[in-house]
Every structure is written in structure tokens, then in C-alpha cells.
Amino acid sequence: MSVYILVVDDEPDVEALFRQQFRRDIKSGRFMMEFAPSAPAALARAAEIRDPSLILILSDINMPGMSGLEMLPKVRAERPDVPVIMITAYGDAETRRKAIERGAVGLLTKPIDFALLRHEIDTRLGQAA
């Protein structure tokens, strides 16, 4: 089974950063990472991956057009089985509250603590196995 993690961010350098951080996992086939440059692109991709292999969505909050917070209830309605972790440069209590209220399982602040994120991914992989 191919296991996917979908990363949603409008910043082009995010893909390179994630591919670098998880290069061994990706190379070994432990999981695949897909990248969407916008919330609408992420919604389309989440709808396309119909089997349970989409195990996690990581989404930036501040994006042009539809924000991650606006996308959150839509993706949760479409894929209630897939946990979503929001990523933001502004990890204040109000942002965290809004993210959790709209269905996020967590909120990571930039710069991302990749050790913490790796632990979260390991947990999701264990649940998917």
C-alpha cells in the first residue's frame, strides 16, 4: 500500500525543505509526499486519493485566495478519515483555537520542529498499518 502525506503551502521552498527532511523515508518508500500550492488544489487532490492511503494533511494557514482555515472544514467534510495539522508562523492561542474548532488535530509553528512532525507521522503510519 502506498501511503501519502499531502503538504499544502504556497511557498515554493517548502517542498524542497520537506523533501530534504524526509528524503530517507521517501526514498525507502515508507511514505510518499505530495505537494499542493493552494487550498483548492489540495481539496482536489484529497478527493482524488480515494483509498485510505492518504494518512495526513499538513497545511499552511496563510495562503492567497482560500486560507488553510477556510479549507479545513471543506477537507474534513470530504475526508473525515484524514487528520489535518495546520502550520503557521503565528501560533497564538486564537489561531490554535480556530484551527481546532474547524477540525485540525494540531497546530505546528514555523520554523517547523521536524522531530515533532516525524513523531506525528510515525503515529499516523502506525495507525494506517
Side-chain angles (χ1 to χ4, degrees):
M1 174 172 94
S2 297
V3 178
Y4 292 88
I5 296 168
L6 180 60
V7 180
V8 189
D9 201 306
D10 61 308
E11 295 291 329
D13 58 334
V14 167
E15 182 173 350
L17 176 64
F18 274 76
R19 288 196 185 283
Q20 160 72 30
Q21 287 293 324
F22 296 105
R23 69 186 177 282
R24 288 189 189 105
D25 299 285
I26 294 167
K27 189 173 181 181
S28 72
R30 188 164 179 246
F31 55 80
M32 294 189 288
M33 282 194 149
E34 290 198 13
F35 297 85
S38 67
L43 289 168
R45 190 60 189 125
E48 289 169 6
I49 304 172
R50 286 310 330 158
D51 58 40
S53 62
L54 180 61
I55 62 161
L56 184 63
I57 297 172
L58 302 166
S59 178
D60 189 23
I61 288 179
N62 294 318
M63 295 183 284
M66 183 188 299
S67 75
L69 287 176
E70 292 167 324
M71 177 195 76
L72 192 49
K74 292 176 172 49
V75 79
R76 297 295 299 144
E78 177 74 31
R79 295 300 302 269
D81 57 312
V82 181
V84 181
I85 296 175
M86 303 307 292
I87 301 170
T88 182
Y90 313 102
D92 60 272
E94 181 65 12
T95 301
R96 181 175 301 278
R97 184 188 63 75
K98 284 180 183 174
I100 300 303
E101 276 180 2
R102 294 178 188 190
V105 298
L107 181 77
L108 295 175
T109 54
K110 294 178 182 179
I112 295 170
D113 178 342
F114 280 100
L116 183 65
L117 180 54
R118 179 171 294 283
H119 175 73
E120 188 67 40
I121 289 170
D122 289 345
T123 300
R124 302 297 166 204
L125 287 170
Q127 291 170 349

